[in-house]
Amino acid sequence: QVQVAESGGGLVQPGGSLRLSCAASGRISSINVMGWYRQAPGKERELVAVISSGGATNYADSMKGRFTISRGSAKNTVDLQMNRLNPEDTAVYYCNVKITTILNYWGKGTLVTVSS
């Protein structure tokens, strides 16, 4: 069993910043990919950013230059630094952990609200 927990969401003004964190725990030997996805009201879940075990990253176009994904200092953690946030970034942000090509786990999500 693997547990995934997100933290760091909240209310922020347009143009502000937030840092999200994700921690995976349980039966884990090695993680292939960790990443963030989001789901806004009335929209489907979409990719935000992912990072592989080798450090390769991939960002959705709207996040490039504003968001930075990185491995955390603690084992099996990942962070998402979000800068210059706008109201369109309002969504529930989910952490995804891929142990292998078959085993895939999701957190319950953390809400980010960008509003003045």
Side-chain angles (χ1 to χ4, degrees), residues 70-116:
S70 62
R71 290 189 169 183
S73 58
K75 187 178 181 180
N76 299 326
T77 62
V78 65
D79 298 327
L80 181 70
Q81 179 66 46
M82 305 186 294
N83 298 323
R84 300 187 299 280
L85 289 162
N86 57 65
E88 289 70 37
D89 295 317
T90 296
V92 176
Y93 285 70
Y94 297 90
C95 181
N96 177 258
V97 178
K98 183 179 292 183
I99 306 299
T100 67
T101 56
I102 299 176
L103 298 178
N104 195 38
Y105 301 90
W106 292 89
K108 295 182 179 180
T110 184
L111 177 63
V112 172
T113 302
V114 185
S115 177
S116 59

Side-chain angles (χ1 to χ4, degrees), residues 8-19:
L11 176 64
V12 64
Q13 299 277 5
S17 300
L18 281 176
R19 187 174 183 86

Side-chain angles (χ1 to χ4, degrees), residues 1-4 23-32 75-76 97-100 102-105:
Q1 291 284 357
V2 175
Q3 295 81 44
V4 180
S25 61
R27 188 175 175 82
I28 302 173
S29 59
S30 180
I31 297 176
N32 186 22
K75 187 178 181 180
N76 299 326
V97 178
K98 183 179 292 183
I99 306 299
T100 67
I102 299 176
L103 298 178
N104 195 38
Y105 301 90

